[in-house]
């Protein structure tokens, strides 16, 4: 009888641990799905892109704040995972290029 209870406890703890571990993983999967598939791409001509001096290709940036190696993909505000186009936390509803840059770049 005690063995059965202990087995039940072990199973419950194992299942609970898997459930807790799955929550952030599921959130990450959803975030990457949004980043890759659902958002239209930001145009460099959009008002918000112009106000941030955003460019799809950081290697073409001549802005005074730009430093070599800075791209959206290594900005602290990037939330696109490893996608080529992804979410930027300050640009709602549009995807930005991983290789892009804007004047709000923050070290990640
Ligand atoms: S804030 Fe960062 S991630 Fe967003 S567009 Fe600018 S450089 Fe890219």
């Amino acid at each position: 009888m005690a063995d059965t209870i202990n087995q039940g406890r072990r199973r419950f703890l194992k299942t609970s641990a898997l459930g807790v571990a799955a929550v952030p993983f599921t959130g990450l999967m959803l975030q990457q799905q949004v980043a890759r598939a659902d958002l239209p791409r930001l145009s460099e001509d959009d008002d918000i892109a112009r106000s941030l001096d955003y460019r799809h290709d950081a290697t073409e940036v001549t802005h005074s704040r730009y430093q070599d190696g800075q791209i959206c993909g290594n900005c602290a505000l990037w939330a696109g995972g490893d996608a080529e186009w992804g979410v930027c936390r300050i640009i709602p509803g549009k995807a930005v290029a991983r290789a892009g840059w804007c004047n709000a770049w923050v070290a990640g």
Side-chain angles (χ1 to χ4, degrees), residues 15-26:
T15 305
S16 299
L18 287 174
V20 169
V23 170
F25 180 72
T26 303

Side-chain angles (χ1 to χ4, degrees), residues 55-68:
R55 293 287 178 268
H56 296 316
D57 183 353
T59 63
E60 295 177 359
V61 172
T62 57
H63 195 279
S64 61
R65 290 196 60 209
Y66 174 74
Q67 293 181 7
D68 282 348

Side-chain angles (χ1 to χ4, degrees), residues 16-90:
S16 299
L18 287 174
V20 169
V23 170
F25 180 72
T26 303
L28 179 64
M29 294 294 286
L30 288 174
Q31 184 182 46
Q32 288 182 344
Q33 227 173 19
V34 167
R36 289 183 175 147
D38 297 344
L39 293 178
R41 294 179 177 183
L42 178 69
S43 164
E44 291 180 349
D45 293 329
D46 281 9
D47 288 344
I48 193 165
R50 286 176 183 260
S51 71
L52 292 168
D53 301 311
Y54 169 82
R55 293 287 178 268
H56 296 316
D57 183 353
T59 63
E60 295 177 359
V61 172
T62 57
H63 195 279
S64 61
R65 290 196 60 209
Y66 174 74
Q67 293 181 7
D68 282 348
Q70 294 178 345
I71 59 170
C72 290
N74 60 22
C75 171
L77 300 172
W78 171 256
D82 60 357
E84 290 303 309
W85 288 81
V87 173
C88 166
R89 290 185 175 93
I90 62 169

Side-chain angles (χ1 to χ4, degrees), residues 6-22:
N6 284 339
Q7 283 176 349
R9 276 191 197 144
R10 264 187 241 122
R11 207 173 302 125
F12 171 76
L13 290 172
K14 209 175 192 179
T15 305
S16 299
L18 287 174
V20 169

